[in-house]
Amino acid sequence: MICNLCPRKCFARREEREGAGFCGLGTIPKVARIAPHMWEEPCLSGKNGSGAVFFSGCTMRCVFCQNHEISAGGKGSFLTASELADEFKRLESLGVHNINLVSPTPYVPSIVRALGIYRPSVPIVYNSSGYESVETLKTLEGLIDIYLPDFKYADDSLAQAYSQAEKYTETAESAITEMLRQTGSPRFDDDGMMRKGVIIRHLVLPNHTKNSIAVLEKIAERFGGALVSLMGQYTPVYKAKEHEKLNRKITAREYEKVKQRLFELDLDGFVQELSSADERYIPDWDYPNSNR
């Protein structure tokens, strides 16, 4: 396979279990955890959890990534499209409220095949960095019910320095526009669980409230049909301590400043508690042992 799935458009050759592109991934999905997940937004986790499928690898290289053991470290086990479909079915049988595909971008063709083999009756969530190709997203139309993208940066210099992502802001804006086109406004069932729509996540970084406020203002200007999830869970892990401005958690004062702008802009959604900034919320990456 010659790959152009993500915005990097490496056009690199990918074999079944390894690849020459930026992500270094093969075409067969590599999975690090499959289990009900209770720590998503309330309308996704509910009482029974979100059926999270954590894929290994990533199209970005965030120096503060909490999931770096799988995004850059290569942990995980290979699953064919048929095996992936079986896992969707198993998760559904556990009563999860949705199937949550976490960092799925490099494996979109296999995910499309898996959903062709078995389409769960619960919503399918596409949980990503926001660094997405519109062309790839269009291949998912009709398959994805809920998009859960990050919108990390309104400043491309930060995106390059902290995530090795060129033209991140423009790319994320185009991607989210396409996501909203596909899903429309948020829809919920009688229990308040999300059935359709887009939730845009933003993680507040220490010393970068200006970036966070600019992101919120862009969302208010362009994406009125989406919900916003403001996240305060930042913890200085992985390579973050090598960066002077990232080597601590955010302060209550920083978070309040960003929240105040969120409220001023009248953006609807969710605000995470600062107590979430704890490494104990990082899951174990030991599929298949973690799938029960």
Side-chain angles (χ1 to χ4, degrees):
M1 171 185 176
I2 303 300
C3 186
N4 64 346
L5 289 173
C6 87
R8 297 181 185 279
K9 298 193 181 300
C10 296
F11 290 97
R13 180 173 294 280
R14 292 172 63 193
E15 307 298 338
E16 287 189 343
R17 292 176 180 249
E18 61 183 13
F22 177 87
C23 68
L25 299 168
T27 58
I28 298 177
K30 198 174 188 182
V31 178
R33 181 178 174 84
I34 302 179
H37 191 64
M38 300 304 301
W39 303 327
E40 304 289 33
E41 286 72 11
C43 63
L44 298 179
S45 291
K47 294 180 180 179
N48 299 330
S50 176
V53 181
F54 287 90
F55 292 97
S56 301
C58 189
T59 60
M60 297 176 72
R61 285 291 178 270
C62 299
V63 297
F64 49 82
C65 182
Q66 291 188 341
N67 297 350
H68 61 89
E69 290 182 307
I70 65 171
S71 66
K75 278 193 172 183
S77 301
F78 292 103
L79 291 181
T80 64
S82 178
E83 291 169 331
L84 194 57
D86 288 342
E87 289 288 11
F88 295 164
K89 185 180 295 186
R90 183 184 66 79
L91 280 172
E92 184 182 30
S93 73
L94 297 177
V96 296
H97 300 286
N98 46 68
I99 303 299
N100 186 351
L101 309 173
V102 185
S103 297
T105 311
Y107 307 114
V108 163
S110 291
I111 289 168
V112 170
R113 288 196 292 274
L115 290 172
I117 296 169
Y118 180 73
R119 175 62 189 263
S121 61
V122 295
I124 307 298
V125 181
Y126 192 90
N127 182 340
S128 85
S129 67
Y131 198 53
E132 298 286 344
S133 161
V134 170
E135 292 78 13
T136 298
L137 291 173
K138 285 181 176 179
T139 69
L140 293 164
E141 185 163 7
L143 296 175
I144 303 301
D145 302 290
I146 299 168
Y147 281 100
L148 187 62
D150 292 338
F151 195 163
K152 296 178 184 290
Y153 307 106
D155 182 338
D156 281 340
S157 66
L158 295 181
Q160 183 61 42
Y162 296 155
S163 299
Q164 296 183 38
E166 293 185 358
K167 298 182 179 179
Y168 176 88
T169 304
E170 172 189 338
T171 301
E173 287 180 352
S174 296
I176 294 170
T177 298
E178 172 61 19
M179 294 172 184
L180 280 164
R181 185 193 69 78
Q182 289 186 24
T183 68
S185 299
R187 280 173 269 170
F188 302 85
D189 64 19
D190 292 340
D191 295 320
M193 301 306 299
M194 197 170 197
R195 301 294 301 181
K196 204 87 172 174
V198 176
I199 303 175
I200 303 173
R201 285 175 164 173
H202 176 70
L203 176 67
V204 181
L205 301 177
N207 293 300
H208 290 88
T209 57
K210 183 178 180 180
N211 173 65
S212 292
I213 288 170
V215 166
L216 295 178
E217 289 173 346
K218 282 183 177 290
I219 292 172
E221 178 184 349
R222 295 203 54 181
F223 306 125
L227 298 176
V228 178
S229 180
L230 189 66
M231 304 175 74
Q233 69 182 42
Y234 178 83
T235 304
V237 297
Y238 193 32
K239 299 179 180 180
K241 293 182 180 180
E242 300 171 10
H243 294 259
E244 182 180 358
K245 291 187 174 182
L246 297 179
N247 63 5
R248 62 168 174 81
K249 296 181 181 181
I250 64 172
T251 65
R253 183 176 180 179
E254 286 173 322
Y255 203 39
E256 286 301 320
K257 184 177 180 180
V258 178
K259 285 198 295 183
Q260 180 61 36
R261 189 60 181 139
L262 176 81
F263 300 146
E264 290 171 353
L265 292 167
D266 199 27
L267 292 169
D268 193 12
F270 311 92
V271 176
Q272 192 178 48
E273 298 294 330
L274 278 181
S275 59
S276 299
D278 194 313
E279 291 185 48
R280 65 192 172 94
Y281 291 112
I282 302 173
D284 293 326
W285 312 117
D286 57 352
Y287 179 86
N289 294 323
S290 64
N291 71 341
R292 302 299 178 194

